[in-house]
Amino acid sequence: MYLTKEEEKILSGDQGFFLSKAMKLLVTIGDLFNADKLIQIKRSQVAGVSYKTAGDATLELLEAMVKENTEVKTYATQNPAGMDLLKWKDMGVPKDFAEKQLKICNAYEKIGIKSTCTCTPYLSHNRPRFGEIVGFSESSAIAFVNSVLGARTNRHGGLEALSAALVGRVPLMGYLLSENRMGSALVKVEFEPKNESDYAALGYFIGKELKVDEVPVYEGLSHPSVDELKLLGAASAASGSVALFHVVGVTPEINRMKESQWRNKIGCTLHVTEKDIKSVYDELSTNEHPDLIAIGCPHCSLQEIKEIATSVSGRKKSSKTEFWVFTSPEVSKNAEKLGYTQSISAFGGKIFGQTCIVVAPIEDMGIRSVYTNSAKAAFYVPRMTKGKCVARVMPLKECIDLCSLH
Ligand code: F3S
């Protein structure tokens, strides 16, 4: 792979040990995938923040970077942590976990990665433009910025995204190249999604059906909202690593192409019916009554919080089930200003920022059964808790009915 003089210098350690290691990682990946060169980026999203997934090794690495005054070269934001950094006691997070978590977030902050701790940085200040090349980790954010915004990122792991942020570059390969962004599988949607979790179930089903690196093109979705696309993308990224999808008549890249241009590239066609969607609800299921209803995977937008606030207005939650909403600190602040937080509190629910149901240590917080409108969360909760917790996917309105006093 071609390297500029400056890149060679970084590689040889001119800008410190950690930048040299970061460059080495990116060059190795670039060489493996036949990238011609590195390309500069201005934005990053760095996953591997929760102490649950990052562990002591990441904490040690970050603290060593801080000691060496290492700093990122991009506008970089952190993915969700294992707890709300302020309200962790309210969540019931164990103290020893919280102490480590705060150290991780502080260390990231010190090397220049903002502790927004959200998987929807694109709803706030870290929103790439159409065509912009970025270095994002977090599978749901990758799917969203590639598909809904038409920006370009590869599927980076946490350490890779951190390296890209440190050197301000990524190898030019994969989804950064136009030829790899064409749709390869046509998905004919032969049912009418009735709610947000039907979109999540559709994404989950397609992720499982497709081979790695396939790019689905959905046909037959007439008017998905941005939030529904967010759930769809997150689910297909979770069940099948889908990093990019197109929706005919909706998403920006396919909208700019002639129909013959993309139809020529399609290699296979899938038909999705009501029966397939039902199979997802059957798979991501449990009969155990929920201890917790968790909404906000990916993190809720302001619009979603408004919808929750409207749906719970005038109702009261039963004490048997907790009702938690996860979002970014910025959306949370706006929700408070607009009175949505107060409506959700009056119902008996809580809003937490900077964390989510999947990366919080819920198995140590007295939670066993989780209901959620997100197929991604329902898929990951049992896996991330080593089977200690169970989960079920269910539309928001049904979740609210289930935990309301009648
Ligand atoms: Fe975001 Fe956590 Fe879901 S990081 S996409 S809310 S698993």
Side-chain angles (χ1 to χ4, degrees):
M1 187 166 65
Y2 167 79
L3 295 183
T4 62
K5 288 224 163 60
E6 193 196 345
E7 289 161 357
E8 293 277 12
K9 279 186 178 174
I10 297 174
L11 186 62
S12 65
D14 242 38
Q15 294 186 23
F17 173 79
F18 290 108
L19 263 69
S20 156
K21 288 285 173 209
M23 185 60 98
K24 179 112 200 309
L25 177 68
L26 296 172
V27 170
T28 305
I29 291 167
D31 281 339
L32 268 174
F33 289 90
N34 297 320
D36 289 336
K37 59 176 185 174
L38 295 169
I39 187 149
Q40 293 205 334
I41 53 164
K42 293 200 173 118
R43 294 177 186 281
S44 320
Q45 165 77 358
V46 178
V49 175
S50 167
Y51 177 61
K52 182 172 178 168
T53 52
D56 290 318
T58 302
L59 176 55
E60 276 168 34
L61 173 69
L62 292 170
E63 289 189 330
M65 284 183 179
V66 173
K67 253 191 206 147
E68 255 211 29
N69 297 320
T70 311
E71 268 186 31
V72 294
K73 290 189 168 55
T74 62
Y75 181 86
T77 45
Q78 297 178 36
N79 217 39
M83 60 188 203
D84 185 310
L85 300 185
L86 300 172
K87 294 187 277 182
W88 58 269
K89 282 188 189 147
D90 270 7
M91 290 178 70
V93 172
K95 190 161 173 271
D96 50 344
F97 181 100
E99 283 168 0
K100 296 277 179 98
Q101 184 61 74
L102 290 172
K103 283 185 184 171
I104 289 179
C105 291
N106 286 341
Y108 270 125
E109 184 82 41
K110 282 188 183 146
I111 63 170
I113 306 178
K114 300 187 188 337
S115 41
T116 46
C117 299
T118 179
C119 53
T120 58
Y122 47 80
L123 297 178
S124 306
H125 299 296
N126 205 357
R127 184 177 176 90
R129 296 182 317 276
F130 181 87
E132 181 180 352
I133 293 179
V134 297
F136 269 39
S137 48
E138 167 48 43
S139 64
S140 70
I142 291 165
F144 190 95
V145 302
N146 268 330
S147 317
V148 183
L149 302 182
R152 299 185 174 204
T153 181
N154 275 311
R155 210 169 30 221
H156 298 291
L159 203 54
E160 208 181 315
L162 173 60
S163 300
L166 289 171
V167 301
R169 291 160 171 87
V170 288
L172 186 57
M173 56 184 242
Y175 293 112
L176 309 189
L177 305 170
S178 298
E179 63 264 32
N180 299 326
R181 298 181 63 86
M182 302 295 280
S184 59
L186 183 64
V187 178
K188 287 187 172 273
V189 181
E190 295 171 356
F191 77 102
E192 189 67 47
K194 291 182 292 297
N195 49 54
E196 80 293 355
S197 65
D198 280 359
Y199 282 93
L202 170 61
Y204 183 83
F205 181 79
I206 288 305
K208 279 181 73 173
E209 290 293 301
L210 294 180
K211 292 199 273 310
V212 175
D213 287 340
E214 293 262 37
V215 177
V217 176
Y218 294 92
E219 194 173 41
L221 290 177
S222 46
H223 44 260
S225 68
V226 168
D227 291 320
E228 287 161 345
L229 292 175
K230 184 169 64 128
L231 278 161
L232 176 131
S236 61
S239 64
S241 312
V242 173
L244 166 66
F245 62 90
H246 303 291
V247 181
V248 177
V250 177
T251 53
E253 251 168 290
I254 202 155
N255 268 353
R256 294 173 194 218
M257 282 180 221
K258 286 202 183 94
E259 191 167 338
S260 56
Q261 225 182 324
W262 63 263
R263 282 220 191 257
N264 282 341
K265 304 282 177 192
I266 297 292
C268 65
T269 301
L270 297 169
H271 299 260
V272 188
T273 64
E274 196 83 54
K275 204 171 125 223
D276 300 316
I277 298 308
K278 187 176 175 308
S279 74
V280 174
Y281 283 103
D282 290 345
E283 181 188 330
L284 301 176
S285 184
T286 175
N287 289 327
E288 291 188 36
H289 190 82
D291 300 317
L292 170 66
I293 285 170
I295 307 296
C297 170
H299 277 175
C300 281
S301 66
L302 195 59
Q303 176 62 26
E304 286 173 298
I305 296 194
K306 181 183 176 186
E307 281 161 20
I308 298 168
T310 309
S311 303
V312 300
S313 166
R315 305 177 80 169
K316 201 86 200 146
K317 178 183 80 61
S318 109
S319 59
K320 278 196 211 139
T321 306
E322 289 286 329
F323 184 89
W324 292 357
V325 176
F326 297 100
T327 189
S328 67
E330 183 155 335
V331 169
S332 175
K333 218 187 284 165
N334 291 333
E336 184 139 13
K337 268 192 217 147
L338 293 165
Y340 305 149
T341 311
Q342 293 77 343
S343 304
I344 292 169
S345 305
F347 171 66
K350 291 176 183 157
I351 297 186
F352 292 115
Q354 299 158 321
T355 187
C356 80
I357 196 62
V358 170
V359 297
I362 56 167
E363 66 276 31
D364 300 323
M365 291 157 50
I367 294 165
R368 158 82 188 157
S369 173
V370 177
Y371 284 25
T372 169
N373 61 351
S374 160
K376 175 175 180 178
F379 173 71
Y380 272 121
V381 160
R383 282 163 182 80
M384 293 290 286
T385 58
K386 300 198 176 76
K388 289 183 188 150
C389 298
V390 291
R392 177 169 180 175
V393 66
M394 187 180 259
L396 171 70
K397 294 245 159 71
E398 286 179 37
C399 286
I400 292 173
D401 281 347
L402 189 75
C403 72
S404 295
L405 288 173
H406 295 285

